Amino acid sequence: MILPALSAAQTKDASVSLYYGRPTGHLSGADAAAIALEMRRGGVDIRPIHQPRIHSKVLAWDDDALAVTSLNWLSADPSQTALRSEIGVAVESNKAADVFIRRLELARAGAIS
């Protein structure tokens, strides 16, 4: 997910933000910060969200479209042998993604819970 996001930011002049709840595996906080800084130079804003605690898997690609799935977009690849191991729903509605992202940002800022 990170490489396509970086490509979109650089070649399509897209505004790209990635959010995560906590680093996984052997990635330290300092390593995550270094990666975030390097990605910001490439046009991708990677932001941790500590409050509210999130476990959502959402991909929004314009103001009107988003997908909510069981796939961990930033840390997993879907299995090639178990093609139906993940499930999701695509939502296309006027400003659906925009409203979702705004509410996420407000919750992140502590304005709503």
Side-chain angles (χ1 to χ4, degrees), residues 40-80:
R40 192 169 297 120
R41 290 183 187 130
V44 176
D45 190 17
I46 299 180
R47 303 176 194 183
I49 296 181
H50 304 291
Q51 291 296 327
R53 187 168 178 205
I54 60 170
H55 189 77
S56 55
K57 288 112 171 154
V58 178
L59 176 65
W61 54 90
D62 64 21
D63 286 348
D64 302 328
L66 66 134
V68 181
T69 73
S70 61
L71 178 67
N72 291 312
W73 293 97
L74 294 177
S75 63
D77 289 327
S79 170
Q80 296 299 318

Side-chain angles (χ1 to χ4, degrees), residues 67-97:
V68 181
T69 73
S70 61
L71 178 67
N72 291 312
W73 293 97
L74 294 177
S75 63
D77 289 327
S79 170
Q80 296 299 318
T81 59
L83 297 177
R84 292 183 176 86
S85 63
E86 303 289 346
I87 190 166
V89 61
V91 178
E92 288 189 63
S93 182
N94 187 34
K95 299 290 184 187

Side-chain angles (χ1 to χ4, degrees), residues 20-50:
Y20 66 94
R22 63 182 168 85
T24 59
H26 301 291
L27 186 67
S28 71
D31 290 337
I35 291 169
L37 181 61
E38 184 65 27
M39 293 299 289
R40 192 169 297 120
R41 290 183 187 130
V44 176
D45 190 17
I46 299 180
R47 303 176 194 183
I49 296 181
H50 304 291

